[in-house]
Amino acid sequence: MDTGNFKTDGIAKEKIEKIYKEYERYGYPVIVMDRENNIVYKNNAAKMLNIKPRVGTNIKKYIDFVNLEKLCDAVEKSEYRVLKLEVASTITRCVIHVGKKITALHFYDALNFLKDDADEVETIRKIEDIISKYNERRKTAGVKRGDGDYFTENKKIIRINEHFRKHMIGLNMQNDDKHKIYCDIGAFFNNFAASISQYISTFGYKMNFHIEDKMFYYRLSENDLLLINFIMSAFAFRHSMFNKVNISFSSDDRILRYGFTTGNDFYEAHRGIFVKDYVSDINDIEYLDLNLAALIAKNNDLKLRVYYDQDGSNLLFLDLIFPDKISDEISMRFEEYHITSEQIGEQAEIEFADVLDKY
């Protein structure tokens, strides 16, 4: 294995090779820099997705002054910060992981699903806090990653995520300024089903949509809802044993549910996924995408829940929960924007009462 031509500064070649072998099996791109910020290594996922920074060049060529300062500050303080590359690519954001002698840039899918907007800074700050908390816990508790080879086992998922990113970037949403608008959940999923099928069917994946459309309108950003669903879709495909995912929504239950069958050992192998609150808790960096989805959901007064059916069916559910009981502070706003078919019928009778009386 080529360990690169860089200043090891006392690091044994065997240790460098061990670090590289660990990165080879990651399902997201990783590039490694020496202490002078020269790029010395790319893992398999980075090569597969053609991550722009080239081995042998300096990262300064690909970042602006603000991000260069962020990088230098992160290295000096050994902090986990989100770095933005100035490249023409769907993959531009990464997390700085500072080692004793080298620095690794981890390009998590979740970060690269985000679009550039005014709310990005606050979201990124919260993500940085989540990553820092996880890594502090990992250091004290000795948490280790699994032994599986995600890259080899999930090449199709990596490709699907690439299509999802391109789709998100190519969209020209009317509410890119993040102002919340009326969203017809049923109509939204009719469009979502059509948009997602073109990517997943090619790779042998299938989604079944069971949407009970009772004209359930909710005041949220459709851009946010789309991003949440892409994240949930990618996660579901990654862990679905049969490459099939069922999506259901009922306005009576107020739950949007992704359901799929996992392997027999899923519960034991992924205990870190079952936390009470994805906005504040994280047990494994592998579930960073769900943390991001939960943050976006919270901004729209929604909640993300992961539920496992332990009756022997090995079913996993990702639930996006619309509020039922809400605070007095937002109750008037919610009543204004939650429109049911019954309310529309009542309003229609009032509006057309005079016309009907004439006939």
Side-chain angles (χ1 to χ4, degrees), residues 311-338:
D311 65 355
S313 60
N314 296 322
L315 289 175
L316 185 72
F317 300 105
L318 303 179
D319 291 345
L320 191 62
I321 303 172
F322 291 75
D324 183 13
K325 296 180 179 180
I326 54 180
S327 65
D328 294 336
E329 182 180 348
I330 65 172
S331 61
M332 291 184 64
R333 186 192 70 184
F334 182 74
E335 290 171 1
E336 178 184 356
Y337 290 103
H338 173 217

Side-chain angles (χ1 to χ4, degrees), residues 248-345:
S248 61
F249 175 76
S250 168
S251 56
D252 293 333
D253 298 331
R254 299 173 184 268
I255 294 177
L256 166 65
R257 168 165 287 185
Y258 279 64
F260 52 95
T261 303
T262 65
N264 292 329
D265 61 344
F266 183 90
Y267 187 80
E268 292 300 324
H270 297 274
R271 285 184 174 273
I273 196 177
F274 303 104
V275 297
K276 292 182 179 179
D277 183 2
Y278 269 96
V279 174
S280 59
D281 299 330
I282 183 168
N283 287 341
D284 196 318
I285 206 71
E286 178 183 353
Y287 312 120
L288 179 65
D289 46 359
L290 294 182
N291 284 91
L292 176 59
L295 284 173
I296 298 168
K298 184 179 180 181
N299 184 50
N300 290 273
D301 302 321
L302 309 175
K303 183 178 180 180
L304 181 66
R305 177 181 67 185
V306 179
Y307 172 74
Y308 189 75
D309 189 350
Q310 299 186 56
D311 65 355
S313 60
N314 296 322
L315 289 175
L316 185 72
F317 300 105
L318 303 179
D319 291 345
L320 191 62
I321 303 172
F322 291 75
D324 183 13
K325 296 180 179 180
I326 54 180
S327 65
D328 294 336
E329 182 180 348
I330 65 172
S331 61
M332 291 184 64
R333 186 192 70 184
F334 182 74
E335 290 171 1
E336 178 184 356
Y337 290 103
H338 173 217
I339 307 171
T340 66
S341 56
E342 289 79 8
Q343 289 171 321
I344 291 175

Side-chain angles (χ1 to χ4, degrees), residues 10-268:
I11 301 179
K13 182 177 181 180
E14 292 77 14
K15 187 172 183 179
I16 295 296
E17 290 180 343
K18 183 178 180 180
I19 293 172
Y20 286 2
K21 285 181 179 179
E22 175 72 11
Y23 288 141
E24 288 298 304
R25 63 188 182 89
Y26 280 22
Y28 53 84
V30 176
I31 66 175
V32 175
M33 304 180 299
D34 63 17
R35 272 297 186 228
E36 295 180 355
N37 296 325
N38 296 308
I39 300 167
V40 297
Y41 165 80
K42 286 184 179 183
N43 72 345
N44 287 327
K47 295 173 184 175
M48 179 178 175
L49 297 175
N50 193 29
I51 298 298
K52 296 301 180 182
R54 294 187 296 106
V55 172
T57 60
N58 195 287
I59 196 66
K60 295 178 182 178
K61 180 180 178 180
Y62 305 98
I63 56 178
D64 59 20
F65 180 75
V66 172
N67 280 277
L68 178 59
E69 283 195 324
K70 182 184 288 189
L71 172 63
C72 294
D73 193 51
V75 172
E76 180 181 351
K77 299 177 181 177
S78 293
E79 293 180 340
Y80 296 91
R81 305 289 298 278
V82 174
L83 189 71
K84 176 78 181 295
L85 303 183
E86 294 296 315
V87 294
S89 172
T90 60
I91 302 177
T92 59
R93 291 187 186 85
C94 56
V95 177
I96 305 168
H97 286 239
V98 182
K100 292 182 178 180
K101 302 296 181 181
I102 61 175
T103 300
L105 303 180
H106 293 228
F107 294 80
Y108 298 109
D109 273 331
L111 297 176
N112 289 288
F113 279 136
L114 287 171
K115 299 186 75 171
D116 293 330
D117 55 48
D119 290 340
E120 175 194 301
V121 175
E122 180 63 16
T123 301
I124 292 296
R125 186 195 66 76
K126 290 179 180 178
I127 288 292
E128 289 176 341
D129 183 55
I130 288 170
I131 296 172
S132 296
K133 286 181 178 178
Y134 162 72
N135 280 287
E136 286 303 314
R137 193 185 73 86
R138 179 181 60 82
K139 291 176 182 178
T140 56
V143 179
K144 297 181 180 179
R145 295 184 62 89
D147 296 327
D149 186 345
Y150 182 89
F151 176 79
T152 301
E153 298 170 1
N154 295 273
K155 289 183 179 180
K156 290 193 296 183
I157 299 297
I158 295 172
R159 285 298 188 197
I160 286 177
N161 286 355
E162 182 180 25
H163 287 297
F164 286 174
R165 286 190 298 271
K166 289 179 179 178
H167 184 81
M168 287 295 298
I169 289 176
L171 290 177
N172 183 22
M173 303 293 290
Q174 293 182 351
N175 58 320
D176 277 346
D177 61 355
K178 307 294 278 190
H179 291 303
K180 295 182 180 180
I181 61 172
Y182 297 109
C183 178
D184 182 336
I185 303 301
F188 172 89
F189 275 102
N190 285 334
N191 293 330
F192 183 70
S195 68
I196 199 171
S197 62
Q198 60 182 310
Y199 304 119
I200 64 175
S201 59
T202 304
F203 295 94
Y205 292 88
K206 183 178 181 180
M207 273 190 168
N208 300 313
F209 290 85
H210 309 283
I211 309 300
E212 296 181 21
D213 184 11
K214 297 182 179 179
M215 297 191 75
F216 183 86
Y217 283 73
Y218 189 74
R219 188 173 188 257
L220 51 69
S221 166
E222 285 198 23
N223 195 18
D224 283 354
L225 185 59
L226 183 65
L227 177 55
I228 292 170
N229 277 278
F230 270 133
I231 292 175
M232 292 170 70
S233 297
F235 186 89
F237 291 146
R238 183 189 312 169
H239 297 291
S240 172
M241 183 177 182
F242 301 114
N243 298 346
K244 293 181 181 179
V245 178
N246 293 316
I247 299 179
S248 61
F249 175 76
S250 168
S251 56
D252 293 333
D253 298 331
R254 299 173 184 268
I255 294 177
L256 166 65
R257 168 165 287 185
Y258 279 64
F260 52 95
T261 303
T262 65
N264 292 329
D265 61 344
F266 183 90
Y267 187 80
E268 292 300 324

